[in-house]
């Protein structure tokens, strides 16, 4: 099957189903490897055990 065939088939999908097909197709797109800065930020976030503020404690006015 060629890319052109797949493109043609995608064009035949009804508008109401586009979101579902997108969610399926996006899973086949390879993800980029995280940079060292991103890995460091993730490690820092996982190590952060500082207390949080409950939603109810915030004055939203």
């Amino acid at each position: 099957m060629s890319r052109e065939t797949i493109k043609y088939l995608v064009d035949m999908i009804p508008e109401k189903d586009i979101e579902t097909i997108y969610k399926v197709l996006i899973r086949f797109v390879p993800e980029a490897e995280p940079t060292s800065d991103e890995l460091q930020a993730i490690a820092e976030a996982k190590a952060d055990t500082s207390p949080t503020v409950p939603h109810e404690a915030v004055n939203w006015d």
Side-chain angles (χ1 to χ4, degrees):
M1 182 178 293
S2 69
R3 288 178 183 255
E4 291 302 317
T5 303
I6 294 171
K7 289 176 187 177
Y8 174 74
L9 291 171
V10 168
D11 286 338
M12 294 174 52
I13 297 170
E15 277 297 318
K16 65 180 180 70
D17 296 327
I18 292 293
E19 183 69 22
T20 302
I21 297 302
Y22 171 79
K23 289 178 181 178
V24 171
L25 291 177
I26 200 71
R27 294 176 185 263
F28 291 94
V29 177
E31 294 183 15
E33 292 293 321
T35 65
S36 59
D37 289 346
E38 292 171 328
L39 291 173
Q40 181 181 355
I42 292 168
E44 288 174 11
K46 287 181 177 178
D48 183 7
T49 58
S50 58
T52 59
V53 177
H55 185 81
E56 300 80 25
V58 176
N59 181 4
W60 297 98
D61 295 327

